[in-house]
């Protein structure tokens, strides 16, 4: 309660990819910290995330709200569906908007599934980031924090020819962050910050399945990432995110 006796406004976060390994950690930790949590994901992941399916609010303010999207819908339709749901269920702006979708594939120039992997990575990384940014333009509060997930594989000097689609998609996300930073005060709310974490490898079940079930020495657990994101968000006003172990911070804005 405030000193005037009025309830203190509950901070809120919108997470696109709430059913991913990272997304679930973010949903869990932000919910436990007392944040109002909205998740946005595709039908199957939305059910896995444990939220409610559709646009209706839960009866209490502690249950994450899960907005479900059709997986095959074009980005424009995803944004329109999400906007309609948020218009009907959100009374306040979000303090943090995060794209936590985690697509990963490997393919080199001569692999037979090169084009399929490129399309998959474009859809899961670039389109989802564009939808996230579009929603932030209308639903993020002034001074808010807009976050994305990039990759070391997309940084200059990285040589990973078997990750052509993955690297190209993540490089697009990095460039999107640069461009969005220039939109602060125009298309994005005043005093907003735009940032991307750039991990070497996130410790997820998929990555472990491709590594004999083990985590690599340079991998970062998703609960560690979620904890750091919560720390950034809690002290957001007047503070910039900082780098931490095995995560390169690609900050702008």
């Amino acid at each position: 309660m405030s000193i005037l006796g009025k309830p203190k406004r509950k901070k809120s976060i919108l997470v696109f990819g709430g059913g991913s390994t990272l997304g679930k950690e973010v949903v869990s930790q932000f919910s436990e910290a007392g944040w109002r949590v909205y998740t946005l994901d595709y039908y199957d992941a939305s059910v896995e995330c444990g939220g409610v399916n559709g646009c209706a609010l839960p009866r209490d303010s502690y249950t994450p709200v899960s907005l479900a999207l059709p997986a095959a819908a074009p980005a424009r339709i995803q944004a329109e569906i999400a906007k309609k749901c948020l218009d009907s269920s959100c009374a306040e702006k979000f303090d943090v908007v995060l794209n936590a979708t985690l697509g990963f594939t490997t393919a080199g120039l001569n692999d037979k599934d090169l084009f399929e992997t490129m399309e998959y990575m474009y859809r899961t990384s670039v389109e989802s980031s564009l939808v996230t940014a579009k929603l932030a333009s209308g639903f993020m509060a002034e001074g808010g924090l807009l976050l994305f997930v990039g990759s070391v594989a997309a940084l200059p000097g990285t040589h990973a020819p078997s990750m052509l689609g993955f690297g190209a998609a993540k490089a697009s996300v990095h460039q999107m962050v640069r461009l969005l930073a220039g939109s602060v005060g125009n298309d994005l709310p005043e005093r907003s910050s735009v940032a991307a974490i750039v991990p070497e490898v996130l410790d997820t079940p998929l990555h472990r399945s491709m590594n004999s079930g083990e985590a690599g020495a340079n991998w970062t657990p998703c609960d560690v990432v979620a904890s750091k994101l919560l720390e950034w968000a809690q002290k957001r006003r007047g503070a910039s995110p900082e780098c931490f172990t095995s995560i390169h911070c690609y900050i702008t804005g």
Side-chain angles (χ1 to χ4, degrees), residues 9-244:
R9 187 182 76 84
K10 183 183 286 290
K11 288 188 174 182
S12 61
I13 180 174
L14 174 64
V15 183
F16 192 175
S20 73
T21 304
L22 175 59
K24 286 186 281 189
E25 285 291 347
V26 170
V27 168
S28 175
Q29 294 196 31
F30 275 72
S31 295
E32 290 177 4
W35 283 58
R36 180 74 169 172
V37 179
Y38 287 71
T39 74
L40 180 65
D41 218 317
Y42 306 114
Y43 284 139
D44 292 344
S46 179
V47 173
E48 180 184 1
C49 189
V52 292
N53 222 358
C55 304
L57 285 170
R59 293 183 179 179
D60 63 81
S61 62
Y62 298 95
T63 304
V65 182
S66 182
L67 310 176
L69 297 175
R76 176 188 293 274
I77 302 302
Q78 292 179 29
E80 290 176 354
I81 293 173
K83 181 181 183 302
K84 181 179 179 181
C85 289
L86 292 173
D87 278 338
S88 66
S89 61
C90 289
E92 297 179 332
K93 302 285 187 178
F94 295 106
D95 299 279
V96 178
V97 178
L98 165 69
N99 182 12
T101 57
L102 300 177
F104 180 76
T105 59
T106 59
L109 190 60
N110 292 322
D111 288 327
K112 59 182 175 61
D113 56 352
L114 169 65
F115 295 101
E116 288 78 11
T117 60
M118 185 69 78
E119 290 174 0
Y120 172 76
M121 286 309 309
Y122 183 83
R123 186 172 68 253
T124 57
S125 288
V126 182
E127 286 192 353
S128 65
S129 294
L130 187 60
V131 171
T132 301
K134 181 64 176 176
L135 294 175
S137 70
F139 294 96
M140 190 167 70
E142 286 192 9
L145 182 58
L146 177 56
L147 293 165
F148 300 90
V149 178
S151 175
V152 167
L155 294 178
T158 302
H159 302 285
S162 66
M163 300 175 69
L164 189 57
F166 180 84
K170 290 301 184 180
S172 295
V173 173
H174 294 184
Q175 180 64 4
M176 191 180 297
V177 170
R178 293 190 190 99
L179 297 174
L180 288 171
S183 298
V184 173
N186 294 301
D187 296 329
L188 290 176
E190 295 281 356
R191 299 181 292 106
S192 302
S193 287
V194 186
I197 60 167
V198 186
E200 293 188 40
V201 183
L202 290 176
D203 186 358
T204 68
L206 173 61
H207 291 152
R208 287 196 178 213
S209 71
M210 303 172 71
N211 194 51
S212 303
E214 300 293 331
N218 62 334
W219 294 18
T220 305
C222 287
D223 62 332
V224 173
V225 177
S227 177
K228 181 55 68 172
L229 294 180
L230 177 60
E231 179 185 329
W232 290 350
Q234 298 280 40
K235 65 177 185 179
R236 169 65 194 94
R237 303 296 176 182
S240 296
E242 306 158 348
C243 297
F244 58 105

